[in-house]
Amino acid sequence: MANITASIRHGLSNLTNFTGRDRPGQYWPYAIALFVVQMIVGLAFTLPLIINSMKAGFDAARTAAAQGGQIDQAQLQAQMMHETMAATRGIMPLTIGLGVVILLLLAAATVRRLHDRDWSGWWILLAVGGKATSIVTGYWMMGIMAADPNAIMNHMGAIQAAAWLPWVGYIILLIQLVQSGEPTDNRFGPPPV
């Protein structure tokens, strides 16, 4: 626990330090702590909306079943997704803002971690590009799904491609960030202590 606390303290005290190097043990506890905070806050805002839309969908299914009607599972799922997207679209600026704050809190630490691998810190633009792409595609997908309950069925390929697109840059960065750093001095300085 002391290592996690020290890592978080190191990351927060070096928010504007884009020079030098960070070893994996300094970076990962800090990064994971930020991701956990983002996930908890995001779930706190979105989970009630998702539960409400699922409840409405199940209520509609129960009503249809009670009246002897046939339930179209695909249509039910599409309707629930439509209601979820319509509800979560209102809090999207908040969740996007939280994601941007987390990205800013991670920026300097990620640059220092890339330096430890002898990579330029400019590679962080993959994460920035990924975040920008996810914001644009997120609004686009939510707009489509909130406007038309059948949009999921009609645009499934494009929606899936748009959802995975930002991950390309993240995966490239992740491969570098998980590897050990250079054991000797590199162009960014000596190995971290």
Side-chain angles (χ1 to χ4, degrees):
M1 187 63 157
N3 186 30
I4 294 171
T5 304
S7 172
I8 292 169
R9 208 174 292 128
H10 173 77
L12 292 174
S13 65
N14 287 286
L15 286 176
T16 59
N17 180 10
F18 289 85
T19 61
R21 299 165 60 175
D22 276 357
R23 64 183 188 277
Q26 291 170 306
Y27 178 78
W28 283 109
Y30 174 65
I32 291 170
L34 288 174
F35 287 130
V36 166
V37 166
Q38 181 179 15
M39 192 167 41
I40 289 170
V41 172
L43 281 174
F45 283 103
T46 57
L47 204 52
L49 300 174
I50 293 169
I51 290 170
N52 285 340
S53 67
M54 290 179 72
K55 184 182 177 305
F58 291 138
D59 288 345
R62 269 193 293 273
T63 301
Q67 295 173 351
Q70 193 68 0
I71 300 168
D72 180 2
Q73 293 294 326
Q75 186 63 33
L76 177 64
Q77 289 176 350
Q79 184 63 35
M80 288 170 40
M81 184 60 79
H82 164 72
E83 289 177 22
T84 301
M85 291 303 122
T88 56
R89 194 169 186 197
I91 64 162
M92 197 166 175
L94 178 66
T95 58
I96 288 171
L98 177 63
V100 169
V101 167
I102 297 296
L103 181 65
L104 292 173
L105 290 171
L106 270 174
T110 302
V111 166
R112 291 190 308 273
R113 183 71 199 104
L114 288 169
H115 287 173
D116 193 40
R117 294 280 306 134
D118 202 20
W119 273 45
S120 168
W122 288 106
W123 282 95
I124 196 170
L125 292 178
L126 287 174
V128 172
K131 180 56 76 178
T133 303
S134 68
I135 290 169
V136 170
T137 58
Y139 268 112
W140 172 72
M141 288 187 304
M142 284 192 155
I144 288 174
M145 289 186 271
D148 178 13
N150 296 317
I152 295 171
M153 305 306 200
N154 299 337
H155 298 67
M156 185 55 77
I159 289 170
Q160 288 178 337
W164 282 101
L165 186 62
W167 287 95
V168 173
Y170 296 145
I171 290 169
I172 292 168
L173 277 179
L174 181 64
I175 290 168
Q176 286 305 311
L177 295 173
V178 298
Q179 295 183 36
S180 299
E182 296 286 316
T184 60
D185 290 4
N186 66 22
R187 60 189 164 140
F188 301 105
V193 178

